[in-house]
Amino acid sequence: MTGNIGETGLKRKRRRQDPMQAYDALPPALRGWLAGAALPWSPLSCRRIWQRARARGEPIEAVLARLERAQAQTLAKDPIWRASLAGHKRDQQPDHVT
């Protein structure tokens, strides 16, 4: 059983703190992004990305775009996601009439 993380070929990691408490401590915009993320990101890793980018003066929209790029890069490493995406792209191609 995969629980609530879905089906993934990526390695799981143990967490040192309560993930729900860490999630509740995140800024609202980051919690919103995390709630809709395709992967079960740890609140700690998201907060780290958020804090570094905000310390550099990046606006919230830029930080969220950075998280989207990080997620896309991680999904590209997942063999199950790649196979699913390849099947989806194949289904999207129009039929050619010859």
Side-chain angles (χ1 to χ4, degrees):
M1 178 164 191
T2 60
N4 68 345
I5 72 162
E7 188 175 348
T8 181
L10 298 172
K11 184 179 174 183
R12 295 182 189 175
K13 298 178 183 177
R14 287 209 169 267
R15 305 293 175 220
R16 292 187 183 137
Q17 69 182 91
D18 177 14
M20 288 307 296
Q21 187 177 27
Y23 176 84
D24 290 342
L26 296 174
L30 184 54
R31 281 197 315 263
W33 181 85
L34 196 54
L39 292 171
W41 289 95
S42 79
L44 179 62
S45 65
C46 287
R47 186 179 68 213
R48 224 179 287 132
I49 293 169
W50 178 272
Q51 288 175 333
R52 286 181 188 150
R54 294 296 285 158
R56 286 190 298 268
E58 292 185 28
I60 291 172
E61 295 78 19
V63 181
L64 297 177
R66 177 184 297 274
L67 288 164
E68 284 295 329
R69 287 190 305 273
Q71 178 165 260
Q73 289 172 347
T74 303
L75 287 172
K77 297 175 188 176
D78 186 343
I80 293 172
W81 184 267
R82 279 196 319 257
S84 171
L85 187 58
H88 179 69
K89 284 183 180 178
R90 233 185 351 264
D91 294 343
Q92 297 272 328
Q93 292 179 351
D95 294 331
H96 295 296
V97 179
T98 55

